[in-house]
Amino acid sequence: KESSRDWMVEAEKIKWWMYLINQALTSHLSKLAVKKDEKGRFFFRPDKSGATRVWRNTKDKPREVAAKKINRLNGATFWVHHAAIIKFRRLGNRFFLMIEPTYLFTSDGEHPFGGQRMGRMVFIWGGRQRNADILRNLIFWTKAIARSENKIRIETGGEPIIVKGVPAIALSNVGVEMDHVRIGSLMSTADNELEEAVQDVEIVEADETENDGDHEE
C-alpha cells in the first residue's frame, strides 16, 4: 500500500496515477450504456433491442441519447448520439473531472463515421450551440455519471474516487452583459437536439456528394 501523495511528487509516477484513475473512470462509464471510441469520446449506445435509447436523470425530462435516423436525400440510415470527452485533469495540485459535451454520428449505432466526414458533422452542429445548450449538456452528463446522486462515486481496487456533483467555478472580471441562465428552467427545456442535428447531417452529406461529383469531372 502506497500513498498517492508520494506519487504526486514524482513526474513518472504522477503519469501512472493519472492513467489509473482514468482507467477507473472508463470502467465506471462502461456500466452506464456508454461506449468509448478509439479517439477517447464516450457516447451512448442504442438500447439492448437496437432501438433508440432514452435516458432520464431523476426528475428531469427524458431525452433521446442515441437515435436512429433516416437521410431523406438517399434513404440511408445512420445514428446520432449524445457524446462527451470525459477524463481527469490535473490543475496545479488539484484534480478535476473534465467533461466536454459533443455529438457523435455512427453508421450503425456502434461504429463512428471517420475522418473529415465526422469532423464536419460535429463542427456544423456544435457551432450552433449556445452557452445554455452546452451548460445543459454538461449538467446532464454530470447527473448521468453520478447516477443522479449528489456526488460521483467511482469504484477502484481500494478507496473510491469521490467527485463533487457540481461544476467547478472560476471568477472573471469580464463577461457578456445579461448573459445568464436559471438552472431550474434550463433542465426543464424540451430536448429536440438530436432531431435538429439530423438536419445538419443531411446538409453535410449533400455537400459531400456535390464535391465528389466535381472531383470526378
Side-chain angles (χ1 to χ4, degrees):
K1 186 174 181 179
E2 299 185 47
S3 169
S4 58
R5 296 191 180 190
D6 293 338
W7 279 36
M8 293 179 193
V9 297
E10 296 187 34
E12 191 63 29
K13 286 188 175 181
I14 190 62
K15 295 179 182 177
W16 301 348
W17 171 252
M18 295 301 298
Y19 173 80
L20 288 172
I21 61 176
N22 277 306
Q23 284 293 98
L25 173 64
T26 297
S27 176
H28 177 83
L29 291 171
S30 69
K31 301 172 185 177
L32 300 176
V34 171
K35 180 179 180 178
K36 184 179 182 181
D37 75 355
E38 61 182 14
K39 293 188 177 181
R41 297 168 295 195
F42 293 91
F43 64 97
F44 280 95
R45 294 171 175 264
D47 72 10
K48 293 181 179 180
S49 67
T52 294
R53 181 177 292 278
V54 178
W55 190 273
R56 183 175 187 178
N57 292 320
T58 57
K59 297 181 180 180
D60 294 343
K61 287 187 175 182
R63 60 161 49 182
E64 291 184 351
V65 293
K68 186 176 183 179
K69 303 296 181 180
I70 298 176
N71 186 336
R72 290 177 294 181
L73 295 176
N74 56 21
T77 60
F78 62 94
W79 286 75
V80 56
H81 309 253
H82 275 287
I85 299 171
I86 308 172
K87 60 184 176 181
F88 282 105
R89 296 289 300 272
R90 183 187 183 192
L91 297 177
N93 294 322
R94 301 182 65 187
F95 293 87
F96 296 86
L97 182 60
M98 183 189 77
I99 303 174
E100 291 186 8
T102 184
Y103 297 88
L104 191 138
F105 302 90
T106 65
S107 58
D108 56 2
E110 295 286 341
H111 301 93
F113 292 125
Q116 294 182 350
R117 187 182 188 191
M118 170 71 79
R120 290 184 65 189
M121 290 176 180
V122 174
F123 177 78
I124 291 177
W125 172 240
R128 297 185 180 184
Q129 300 292 283
R130 299 293 182 262
N131 289 344
D133 300 316
I134 296 171
L135 180 57
R136 180 190 298 109
N137 287 336
L138 172 65
I139 294 173
F140 166 78
W141 273 102
T142 302
K143 287 185 175 183
I145 297 171
R147 296 184 172 91
S148 298
E149 298 294 333
N150 293 329
K151 295 181 179 180
I152 300 171
R153 179 187 175 94
I154 301 173
E155 298 297 336
T156 70
E159 295 294 322
I161 301 169
I162 305 296
V163 184
K164 290 183 179 180
V166 295
I169 296 175
L171 299 180
S172 173
N173 59 0
V174 296
V176 179
E177 186 177 8
M178 304 301 293
D179 183 17
H180 67 278
V181 64
R182 295 183 183 274
I183 298 299
S185 60
L186 176 72
M187 298 311 296
S188 64
T189 304
D191 178 26
N192 294 316
E193 292 174 2
L194 296 191
E195 189 61 41
E196 294 172 8
V198 171
Q199 306 305 318
D200 292 321
V201 173
E202 294 174 355
I203 292 172
V204 169
E205 291 188 340
D207 290 342
E208 289 184 343
T209 300
E210 294 173 1
N211 291 336
D212 290 342
D214 293 340
H215 179 72
E216 290 175 357
E217 291 176 0

